[in-house]
Amino acid sequence: MVNQATLQELDEALQHILASPADEGRLEMISARPSVGVRELLEVGELDAECGLVGDNWLDRGSNSTPDGTANPEAQLTLINTRLIDVVAGGKTRWQLAGDQLFVDIDLSHDNLSPGALLSIGSAIIELTAAPHTGCVKFASRFGHDALRFVSGPEAMQQRRRGANAKIIQPGRIRVGDVVRKVEA
C-alpha cells in the first residue's frame, strides 16, 4: 500500500507549492490518456486545436459538463502544478495518476493566471479557461481524502491547487523540459 500524504503534511508543503515561478516555469511531464485508466508518458507531444493532445482521448471521451455530452472545448487540456502533485502523489512515478496531461512548474493561481491568460509551451500557445478543474472520487481513491480536501474549497480553488483547464490557441509541438512562459496579450 502506498502511503498517502496527510492534511498536515500537505499544509506544511503549501509555501513550497505557492513558491512556483510566476512568469516562466518548466514542462516536467506530458501524459496522454489513450483510453480510460491508461496513461502514456510522452517526451514530445503535439497540441492540435481540434483534437487536443494528439494520442489523448479528450475528444472521443466527451464530457458530462456539456448538454450534448461532447468534449468540452473549455477543458481541452488539464494542467497541474508539479510541486503540488509531487507532494500529493508521493513522487514522480505516481504523478500521471492525477489524470492531467501537462505537469508544469509555474504558479497556476487565479491571481497569477486569470481566465484568458496565455502560456507558451514549445511552439504552442494555450489559454487558461474559466472552467474549474476540481477533484473527484478517482483523485481521492488514488491520493486519499486528505489530498482531495487539500485541493478543494474556496482558497484551494483560487490557488488552482487541483490544476487548471485550458484550450489550444496555437497548435504546436511541446516536449518535456520546454519553458512554460506567460504571454502578454
Side-chain angles (χ1 to χ4, degrees):
M1 171 132 186
V2 174
N3 286 338
Q4 295 177 337
T6 66
L7 196 52
Q8 179 178 342
E9 291 168 329
L10 295 165
D11 284 337
E12 288 170 359
L14 185 57
Q15 289 311 307
H16 171 67
I17 294 164
L18 296 178
S20 295
D23 296 327
E24 187 174 291
R26 182 178 142 95
L27 177 62
E28 299 285 344
M29 183 181 281
I30 305 167
S31 179
R33 306 159 305 180
S35 59
V36 175
V38 176
R39 306 289 184 269
E40 181 182 343
L41 297 182
L42 306 172
E43 285 298 312
V44 178
E46 290 289 332
L47 298 184
D48 180 270
E50 296 299 317
C51 70
L53 173 63
V54 174
D56 187 78
N57 69 355
W58 164 79
L59 186 61
D60 295 332
R61 188 178 66 249
S63 173
N64 59 10
S65 69
T66 58
D68 61 0
T70 59
N72 182 351
E74 298 295 302
Q76 194 175 38
L77 295 171
T78 57
L79 292 79
I80 192 166
N81 178 281
T82 56
R83 296 175 190 219
L84 179 127
I85 193 58
D86 199 54
V87 175
V88 167
K92 194 170 185 173
T93 59
R94 299 186 69 235
W95 287 7
Q96 70 274 14
L97 295 176
D100 298 278
Q101 298 136 311
L102 305 182
F103 296 75
V104 296
D105 185 20
I106 196 165
D107 176 0
L108 293 173
S109 73
H110 281 275
D111 290 341
N112 188 50
L113 297 168
S114 60
L118 301 176
L119 292 173
S120 68
I121 308 172
S123 61
I125 296 177
I126 64 173
E127 177 183 322
L128 274 67
T129 66
H133 187 28
T134 58
C136 63
V137 172
K138 288 191 260 184
F139 189 86
S141 71
R142 294 170 183 152
F143 303 121
H145 291 287
D146 280 355
L148 181 60
R149 277 194 291 278
F150 185 71
V151 301
S152 302
E155 183 178 32
M157 293 300 291
Q158 179 65 23
Q159 295 167 347
R160 285 196 180 119
R161 291 186 201 168
R162 178 58 191 93
N165 283 304
K167 61 185 175 183
I168 298 162
I169 300 300
Q170 176 180 301
R173 179 169 284 181
I174 60 173
R175 73 178 56 246
V176 170
D178 278 347
V179 170
V180 178
R181 182 178 292 120
K182 270 182 170 179
V183 175
E184 297 304 322

